[in-house]
Amino acid sequence: MRVLYVAAEVAPFAKVGGLGDVAGALPAALSRLGVDVRVALPKYRGVPAGLAPVGEFPVSVGGAERPCTVFAGRLPAAEVPVYFLGHDPYFDRPGVYGEGGTGYPDELERFVFLSKAALALGPAVGWVPDIVHANDWHTALIPASLRSGDANLPAKSVFTIHNLAYQGRFPRERGAALGLNAVGLGAVVRDGEINLLQGAIRTADWITTVSPSYAREILTQGEGLEGELQARRNALTGILNGIDTAVWDPERDPHLWAPYSAVDPSGKRENTRHLRAELGLVETGGPLVGMVSRLAEQKGFDLVIGGFERMMALGIELVVLGEGDPRYAGFLQNAERRYPGRVRAILGFSEAWAHRIEAGADIFLMPSRFEPAGLNQLYSLRYGTVPVVRATGGLRDTVRDCGSDPERGNGFTFEDYTAEAMLGALGRAVRLWRGNPAAWRRLVGRGMAEDHSWDVPAREYHALYERVLAR
Ligand code: ADP
Ligand code: GLC
């Protein structure tokens, strides 16, 4: 079985959020199961230099032929081949999607290029896929092109929705860029505009999303596409994301100050101490709460803003690592000034700080408005950092509240999207941390003992590929 896995982000080469983590890890897990899987992504500026070009072919975008140069590499610590699809006018830029919070204006053309180049790659590299597995709107043209025949490739398609909020919507006039025939175009046009995600939902042989709860939720809260999803509900599966347990391993994490494990958790305290010292946080006798997140509405920053003073009145310290919406960044900067020594905002993207916060914090806060899967709560569990999350999507599927059964829970959850509800859950966490250190240690131990590796989900994808090929 030959599977081409296509995504706009693949860690460690290009990462903005969890899509990159998934695309960098799932193919490796599939390959361990014996699947001949290969990965394709754009050759961004950040991609390692010195790769040899292995082929070149033209890709038509909006009627103009654009050369695609293919460079071959591999996923680190895996045998999985990676094809970097190069076209410098589109991809030799500082950002993946844009710069300074503004998207590149030619994002449609850039990702049409990615989708078409991935579909045309086979002859150039001497390997033709049976299944093309596409992800999110950037590659949503792939199922439509396969279905309409525009791609001229007899492959099946699997399409994964990582986030329904980004649909690839463009004015109808720009539809010429897609190069679709009437069949394909019919699938992508919605209310007089281009909606690439709708196209993939209508035409993919199978649709997956990244948690069972999100798969259910989007049938009624589907950002306008619920009807389309209902129509395909028999070909829609929620498969919970896993995590890369080699990259996220507190025993072997090169970013940490001290290694630790469930057996010997003492190193965690070292990391907390260093984190405080490096960030100039003074120890106030409360727990250290961490957040690592895109600064986007999805992630619940409105609750943090609304409940901020009451949050600080719980006696916590807070460190936030994030990049995105200037509105949230501005609030965090201001909060840091108002609470010197108790609040730190690291504004930017830093792999090292993401790992250090996961290791050094006592509590990880994720009050998401919606969350298709969420990876940070899983990293937190593995790093002995107790997650406090809103029960939505993948957060609902992975975090069990301690309130209902203190000796079975692995974190704290709240239902309503309100600052009060968030403060309730955070308050319960802080009280347990202060009042019952032994119960807290058991709670931490339970989280660290859980297995969220890709082994199980990779088997589910493998079984799905077999079903799709047999249809
Ligand atoms: P999403 O994909 O919606 O952003 P996830 O929880 O699935 O949410 O994944 C987010 C990923 O991006 C995690 O690996 C997290 O560590 C990383 N991340 C988010 N913001 C930053 C940042 N500012 N610096 C470094 N890593 C970040
Ligand atoms: C999206 C979602 C996030 C998910 C990630 C990887 O960015 O917002 O919840 O974990 O994709 O699937």
Side-chain angles (χ1 to χ4, degrees):
M1 170 189 309
R2 291 181 300 272
V3 179
L4 181 63
Y5 193 94
V6 192
E9 303 172 31
V10 179
F13 309 114
K15 167 171 160 181
V16 175
L19 171 62
D21 289 353
V22 171
L26 169 59
L30 286 165
S31 147
R32 289 194 289 273
L33 296 176
V35 178
D36 181 1
V37 56
R38 307 191 180 193
V39 176
L41 78 155
K43 183 178 179 293
Y44 298 109
R45 182 178 292 179
V47 165
L51 296 172
V54 295
E56 185 163 317
F57 54 89
V59 175
S60 147
V61 179
E65 302 284 305
R66 302 185 176 272
C68 173
T69 312
V70 187
F71 297 80
R74 279 178 194 280
L75 286 182
E79 287 305 297
V80 178
V82 179
Y83 298 119
F84 299 94
L85 306 174
H87 182 68
D88 285 350
Y90 282 154
F91 301 120
D92 185 17
R93 302 180 187 180
V96 170
Y97 301 122
E99 289 160 49
T102 311
Y104 293 126
D106 56 352
E107 57 178 1
L108 173 62
E109 289 74 16
R110 297 171 81 227
F111 292 119
V112 164
F113 179 91
L114 166 63
S115 302
K116 290 192 160 196
L119 287 167
L121 176 71
V125 300
W127 180 90
V128 177
D130 308 307
I131 294 181
V132 184
H133 187 156
N135 295 275
D136 272 357
W137 79 263
H138 326 100
T139 56
L141 181 61
I142 287 175
S145 303
L146 287 170
R147 178 57 55 94
S148 67
D150 287 299
N152 192 23
L153 174 70
K156 297 281 172 76
S157 63
V158 171
F159 183 75
T160 298
I161 300 169
H162 296 262
N163 198 330
L164 205 55
Y166 305 100
Q167 299 184 356
R169 293 168 55 182
F170 299 93
R172 178 73 180 76
E173 308 81 78
R174 288 179 69 187
L178 308 176
L180 285 174
N181 63 25
V183 177
L185 212 51
V188 303
V189 173
R190 174 178 185 80
D191 300 334
E193 64 173 16
I194 302 296
N195 186 313
L196 289 170
L197 206 64
Q198 169 184 287
I201 293 169
R202 286 198 182 169
T203 55
D205 288 297
W206 206 275
I207 305 157
T208 74
T209 185
V210 287
S211 71
S213 283
Y214 193 63
R216 266 192 312 277
E217 289 165 7
I218 58 179
L219 295 176
T220 51
Q221 294 150 280
E223 310 275 348
L225 292 176
E226 39 282 284
E228 298 291 332
L229 290 156
Q230 278 160 22
R232 296 295 321 270
R233 66 187 307 159
N234 294 328
L236 169 66
T237 317
I239 301 178
L240 187 65
N241 280 342
I243 60 172
D244 189 326
T245 49
V247 174
W248 293 92
D249 178 0
E251 270 186 282
R252 282 179 202 82
D253 188 328
H255 300 298
L256 304 196
W257 292 283
Y260 63 100
S261 65
V263 178
D264 179 9
S266 57
K268 181 160 175 79
R269 281 195 296 280
E270 274 299 287
N271 285 295
T272 309
R273 204 170 56 71
H274 278 279
L275 185 63
R276 277 207 174 94
E278 294 266 332
L279 296 177
L281 290 166
V282 283
E283 185 150 12
T284 55
L288 178 54
V289 177
M291 295 181 80
V292 177
S293 179
R294 290 184 291 117
L295 301 181
E297 199 216 344
Q298 170 191 349
K299 300 296 180 178
F301 284 98
D302 293 317
L303 302 193
V304 174
I305 292 175
F308 195 72
E309 308 304 328
R310 287 171 286 169
M311 219 167 112
M312 296 313 293
L314 294 170
I316 61 161
E317 297 148 43
L318 179 68
V319 53
V320 185
L321 168 66
E323 186 169 53
D325 193 329
R327 205 160 54 88
Y328 299 130
F331 174 85
L332 291 168
Q333 260 172 333
N334 185 31
E336 184 177 67
R337 274 195 296 274
R338 286 188 295 125
Y339 288 91
R342 285 189 62 201
V343 174
R344 276 306 308 272
I346 310 173
L347 301 175
F349 192 91
S350 162
E351 202 66 37
W353 281 114
H355 285 246
R356 290 168 176 175
I357 291 170
E358 287 289 6
D362 298 296
I363 293 171
F364 195 90
L365 180 62
M366 225 168 148
S368 305
R369 191 168 72 77
F370 67 93
E371 197 61 74
L375 296 170
N376 277 309
Q377 82 279 17
L378 301 178
Y379 302 149
S380 299
L381 289 168
R382 191 136 203 265
Y383 278 59
T385 305
V386 173
V388 174
V389 308
R390 174 147 184 271
T392 179
L395 296 174
R396 187 187 286 288
D397 294 339
T398 50
V399 182
R400 300 181 306 282
D401 190 85
C402 278
S404 36
D405 185 351
E407 295 303 329
R408 278 200 64 244
N410 61 2
F412 296 85
T413 68
F414 60 99
E415 292 284 336
D416 294 345
Y417 188 68
T418 61
E420 286 65 34
M422 177 189 77
L423 287 160
L426 186 60
R428 288 191 290 123
V430 171
R431 279 193 295 282
L432 187 71
W433 184 88
R434 277 188 207 284
N436 195 340
W440 188 266
R441 275 196 299 276
R442 288 195 297 279
L443 167 60
V444 164
R446 278 196 299 281
M448 292 185 81
E450 289 182 11
D451 177 3
H452 290 286
S453 70
W454 272 105
D455 298 346
V456 172
R459 266 182 247 130
E460 290 182 55
Y461 280 105
H462 187 201
L464 176 67
Y465 295 154
E466 279 177 339
R467 261 208 321 279
V468 167
L469 282 180
R471 262 150 59 106

